[in-house]
Amino acid sequence: MAESERVKMAAGEWYTCLDNELESLRVVARDVVFEHNCLPPRQLGNLGSGLKALLGNAGEGARIEAPFHCAYGFNIFLGDGVFLNAGCTILDTASVRIGKATLLGPNVQIYCAEHHREAAGRQAGLEIARPVKIGANAWIGGSAVILGGVSIGDGAIVGAGAVVSRDVAANTTVVGNPAHQVKRD
């Protein structure tokens, strides 16, 4: 029996995103995200109830400002006190784990999917999902982009607008495109 595209995605294998089961899961996420993004602030609180139920985990006091977008939601795990500012997008085809007390500035983008390098593969919807891990007490500046397969250590700082394509060590600061470590004085 052939594995489903969802099973292949979860296993980190090449899969086709042009799949009915995956599309139905994305529709569920879009509905939940729409609700979260449209709730009046007093009703929303830290997370819309549907979004809180959809996420893999939302720690105590985790907050996501609207608007927010995600692909599936169930692959997102937020530690206690995590804050995602307005406009964040997490394309969670793989696990995205964000450690406690980490802050994401406005319009931060996390992309787990990597599309096929050959045009025919892209046309067929082939992609592979790579997880992202951000440690505790990190700060990700506004409009930073974090690519799949990256780990960012505890206490690290990613400057606004940086494009992070490689791991970032704990307690370091990276800036630029591609992101590179800032030397300390």
Side-chain angles (χ1 to χ4, degrees):
M1 177 179 214
E3 290 183 326
S4 74
E5 299 306 307
R6 182 178 182 180
V7 168
K8 289 190 251 183
M9 181 178 80
E13 300 171 3
W14 288 98
Y15 65 95
T16 180
C17 61
L18 307 174
D19 173 72
N20 290 335
E21 179 186 15
L22 292 177
E23 177 59 19
S24 67
L25 292 168
R26 290 189 297 267
V27 167
V28 168
R30 285 193 296 267
D31 284 344
V32 168
V33 165
F34 178 83
E35 174 194 53
H36 172 86
N37 290 337
C38 293
L39 282 170
R42 288 189 181 128
Q43 285 181 284
L44 177 61
N46 285 344
L47 293 167
S49 60
L51 184 56
K52 187 171 185 173
L54 181 68
L55 297 178
N57 183 63
E60 187 70 31
R63 181 178 182 88
I64 299 177
E65 292 288 341
F68 170 73
H69 178 74
C70 65
Y72 298 100
F74 54 76
N75 284 323
I76 300 172
F77 302 85
L78 306 176
D80 295 344
V82 166
F83 177 75
L84 278 63
N85 211 326
C88 286
T89 295
I90 301 177
L91 300 184
D92 61 313
T93 54
S95 172
V96 175
R97 297 184 179 277
I98 303 175
K100 70 178 182 175
T102 286
L103 309 174
L104 275 65
N107 301 310
V108 168
Q109 314 290 303
I110 300 174
Y111 306 141
C112 293
E114 180 183 318
H115 297 285
H116 204 275
R117 297 195 190 282
E118 296 188 20
R122 289 190 301 276
Q123 290 170 356
L126 287 177
E127 57 188 40
I128 193 164
R130 303 196 189 283
V132 169
K133 183 176 183 212
I134 303 173
N137 299 301
W139 176 23
I140 313 300
S143 297
V145 176
I146 301 168
L147 301 180
V150 167
S151 291
I152 297 173
D154 294 344
I157 298 172
V158 173
V163 177
V164 183
S165 58
R166 294 183 305 236
D167 290 352
V168 176
N171 302 307
T172 61
T173 299
V174 297
V175 299
N177 179 4
H180 58 278
Q181 186 171 344
V182 173
K183 303 220 185 282
R184 296 192 181 219
D185 294 334

